[in-house]
Amino acid sequence: MPEIRNYTLNFGPQHPAAHGVLRLVLELDGETVERADPHIGLLHRATEKLAESKPYNQSIGYMDRLDYMSMMCNEHGYVMAIERLLQLEVPLRAQYIRVMYDEITRILNHLLWLGTHALDVGAMTMFLYCFREREDLVDCYEAVSGARMHASYYRPGGVHRDLPEKMPQYQPSRWKNEAEVARLNEDRQGSLLDFIEAFTDRFPGRVDEYETLLTENRIWRQRTVGIGVVGPERAMQLGFTGPMLRGSGIAWDLRKKQPYEVYDRLDFDIPVGTNGDSYDRYLVRIEEMRQSNRIIRQCIEWLRANPGPVHVSDYKVMPPLREEMKADMEALIHHFKLFTEGYCVPEGEAYAAVEHPKGEFGVYLISDGANKPYRVKVRPPGYVHLSALDEMSRGHMLADVVTLIGSLDIVFGEIDR
């Protein structure tokens, strides 16, 4: 009998990350994975070096493009680090708006994760259901920033603008008749808060639909239960955070353990798994969407009752109002100075981390007193999780690698920053 040797192959394109930005080399014994070697660096864009060459306020847009499914959460970590160096006190209303949009972003991320993960495993309908809800939430992004994805809405000292009192309306066209347009505009007759509240009313029922399709589905359970098991001790050793760590049974969440903004004023629970497999990570993210919905409702209630400023009034970090610029030459000079030179940040260093949808997203800044950072270091959650893919996939079948990559919820914008 000739000796049977293992053979290697390039995996993909299967997951959205494996279409060219991830080269995954698998060593197989038949269809059993002996070794998985992820090759990264194929998308490298030098975000950190670019941020070191520009004024602080011109790099917020770079943060959006790191994990392009969790845009405002990336911005949040960056502006919090700047605020710590500047010792800025953010108005309370701005903190509530940030928290509300962090949770909207969490749902946006988990919906895309669930749709693509289920599609990878073989459930087509899930993708269409998830994108139905995403459409409403990207409209919320567009309402405050003008952009559906890369918002650049958070600013050091607050947010760009207050929540609008009117939602954009659909107009009749050759593709939509008046009856269809009237149905689409039902929830758009009031303010943005009214629109978000209507979404939170119907969203728990939509999550029930997702669970009806998947949670007790025999094929889904066969593809996820017992796949990629990571115990609690090993999860901590590997540096897991977010749903990957909580799926292994560790109740660690920065919103509870190291509260920032107004999370300590809000009532919500931290879901944890018991087995540390792909199925538990699925259940954790499903419950996180329900808890995010709960947080958003509390933010809506507070924001309705408490008007106020949404950013600091310091012209050094926030532009003056247009009315002020027309009447005051000094305000006009501040405006031009802010958008050309930016602002100088006192010497020092700061690290700020947020509970990003994928885990702990941190930004470490070093300032030498200039108008641009001396060093920027981003701590993305996906980079750490991808490093565990080899260990998680050993002994599993080739088809299980598809499930595992989906279970990690990786986006290469932050891994190859």
Side-chain angles (χ1 to χ4, degrees), residues 11 26 28-34 223 227 392-404:
F11 172 88
L26 299 178
L28 301 173
D29 177 8
E31 281 195 54
T32 304
V33 179
E34 298 283 305
R223 292 298 305 274
I227 303 300
M392 292 170 69
S393 58
R394 291 190 181 195
H396 287 303
M397 305 295 282
L398 173 62
D400 295 330
V401 177
V402 180
T403 302
L404 284 172

Side-chain angles (χ1 to χ4, degrees), residues 7 41 57 59 64 95 105 117 126 156 159 184 206 208 219 222 228 253 266 282 310 313 369 375 380 403 415:
Y7 61 95
N57 56 337
S59 294
D64 285 307
Q95 293 185 43
T105 304
H117 184 34
M126 205 67 242
V159 294
L184 290 170
R206 299 294 166 85
D208 291 341
I219 300 171
Q222 286 173 341
D253 189 310
L266 301 171
Y282 154 77
V310 295
S313 57
R375 282 289 179 267
T403 302
I415 292 171

Side-chain angles (χ1 to χ4, degrees), residues 401-414:
V401 177
V402 180
T403 302
L404 284 172
I405 293 180
S407 174
L408 293 177
D409 189 15
I410 52 174
V411 165
F412 261 75
E414 65 172 16

Side-chain angles (χ1 to χ4, degrees), residues 56-105:
Y56 287 91
N57 56 337
Q58 292 182 18
S59 294
I60 297 172
Y62 283 132
M63 299 302 124
D64 285 307
R65 290 158 176 81
L66 287 170
D67 176 357
Y68 33 81
M69 294 301 115
S70 307
M71 295 72 65
M72 289 198 196
C73 289
N74 302 334
E75 296 174 25
H76 201 169
Y78 179 66
V79 300
M80 274 176 58
I82 297 172
E83 285 161 0
R84 287 181 182 176
L85 286 171
L86 289 170
Q87 297 185 337
L88 284 177
E89 190 68 38
V90 180
L92 195 55
R93 182 173 175 85
Q95 293 185 43
Y96 270 95
I97 292 173
R98 284 180 177 184
V99 166
M100 182 174 76
Y101 267 92
D102 275 12
E103 298 309 315
I104 286 173
T105 304

Side-chain angles (χ1 to χ4, degrees), residues 40-168:
I40 64 171
L42 303 167
L43 185 68
H44 186 51
R45 293 176 297 174
T47 300
E48 291 154 333
K49 282 297 163 193
L50 285 166
E52 290 166 12
S53 68
K54 289 178 170 52
Y56 287 91
N57 56 337
Q58 292 182 18
S59 294
I60 297 172
Y62 283 132
M63 299 302 124
D64 285 307
R65 290 158 176 81
L66 287 170
D67 176 357
Y68 33 81
M69 294 301 115
S70 307
M71 295 72 65
M72 289 198 196
C73 289
N74 302 334
E75 296 174 25
H76 201 169
Y78 179 66
V79 300
M80 274 176 58
I82 297 172
E83 285 161 0
R84 287 181 182 176
L85 286 171
L86 289 170
Q87 297 185 337
L88 284 177
E89 190 68 38
V90 180
L92 195 55
R93 182 173 175 85
Q95 293 185 43
Y96 270 95
I97 292 173
R98 284 180 177 184
V99 166
M100 182 174 76
Y101 267 92
D102 275 12
E103 298 309 315
I104 286 173
T105 304
R106 195 176 314 279
I107 295 175
L108 269 173
N109 180 90
H110 287 356
L111 285 174
L112 185 110
W113 162 80
L114 180 60
T116 54
H117 184 34
L119 188 63
D120 289 344
V121 175
M124 178 75 184
T125 311
M126 205 67 242
F127 186 83
L128 303 174
Y129 277 24
C130 290
F131 270 70
R132 175 187 61 190
E133 274 67 77
R134 272 181 62 87
E135 196 62 30
D136 287 336
L137 295 180
V138 292
D139 282 349
C140 298
Y141 259 54
E142 189 175 10
V144 294
S145 70
R148 287 164 59 86
M149 285 184 65
H150 305 310
S152 296
Y153 179 57
Y154 294 6
R155 303 294 160 85
V159 294
H160 170 51
R161 52 177 279 197
D162 207 344
L163 305 176
E165 289 300 318
K166 190 176 181 183
M167 282 295 289

Side-chain angles (χ1 to χ4, degrees), residues 107 110-111 113-114 126 130 203 206-212 214-215 220 243 271 279-293:
I107 295 175
H110 287 356
L111 285 174
W113 162 80
L114 180 60
M126 205 67 242
C130 290
F203 186 61
R206 299 294 166 85
V207 180
D208 291 341
E209 289 179 11
Y210 310 154
E211 292 219 68
T212 300
L214 292 182
T215 302
W220 178 254
Y279 187 67
D280 269 12
R281 293 189 280 272
Y282 154 77
L283 292 175
V284 164
R285 290 184 176 108
I286 286 285
E287 183 58 27
E288 279 191 8
M289 288 197 283
R290 296 188 190 275
Q291 295 301 322
S292 292
N293 199 70

Side-chain angles (χ1 to χ4, degrees), residues 210-367:
Y210 310 154
E211 292 219 68
T212 300
L213 279 172
L214 292 182
T215 302
E216 297 301 329
N217 184 299
R218 180 166 54 93
I219 300 171
W220 178 254
R221 290 178 66 99
Q222 286 173 341
R223 292 298 305 274
T224 56
V225 172
I227 303 300
V229 176
V230 181
E233 286 187 19
R234 188 60 184 145
M236 288 191 288
Q237 290 167 354
L238 288 167
F240 281 7
T241 54
M244 293 291 293
L245 182 62
R246 294 190 285 275
S248 295
I250 305 293
W252 177 262
D253 189 310
L254 295 180
R255 296 172 296 173
K256 288 278 193 184
K257 304 296 185 182
Q258 298 173 8
Y260 53 96
E261 307 296 13
V262 292
Y263 277 112
D264 54 349
R265 298 173 174 226
L266 301 171
D267 181 31
F268 62 99
D269 299 321
I270 303 302
V272 293
T274 53
N275 302 315
D277 57 9
S278 294
Y279 187 67
D280 269 12
R281 293 189 280 272
Y282 154 77
L283 292 175
V284 164
R285 290 184 176 108
I286 286 285
E287 183 58 27
E288 279 191 8
M289 288 197 283
R290 296 188 190 275
Q291 295 301 322
S292 292
N293 199 70
R294 184 175 162 194
I295 292 170
I296 292 168
R297 290 191 69 89
Q298 294 172 64
C299 291
I300 292 169
E301 184 179 344
W302 191 93
L303 288 165
R304 283 196 198 284
N306 296 275
V310 295
H311 53 71
V312 295
S313 57
D314 185 351
Y315 289 165
K316 289 182 180 178
V317 294
M318 291 297 293
L321 297 174
R322 194 165 293 274
E323 295 81 8
E324 294 173 358
M325 286 191 289
K326 289 178 179 178
D328 184 356
M329 179 58 73
E330 187 179 347
L332 186 63
I333 292 169
H334 275 297
H335 171 86
F336 283 115
K337 185 174 174 61
L338 177 65
F339 286 105
T340 54
E341 296 180 21
Y343 40 81
C344 292
V345 172
E347 284 188 44
E349 54 189 84
Y351 176 77
V354 297
E355 188 62 38
H356 184 283
K358 292 176 170 62
E360 179 179 335
F361 178 89
V363 176
Y364 175 58
L365 291 180
I366 301 178
S367 170

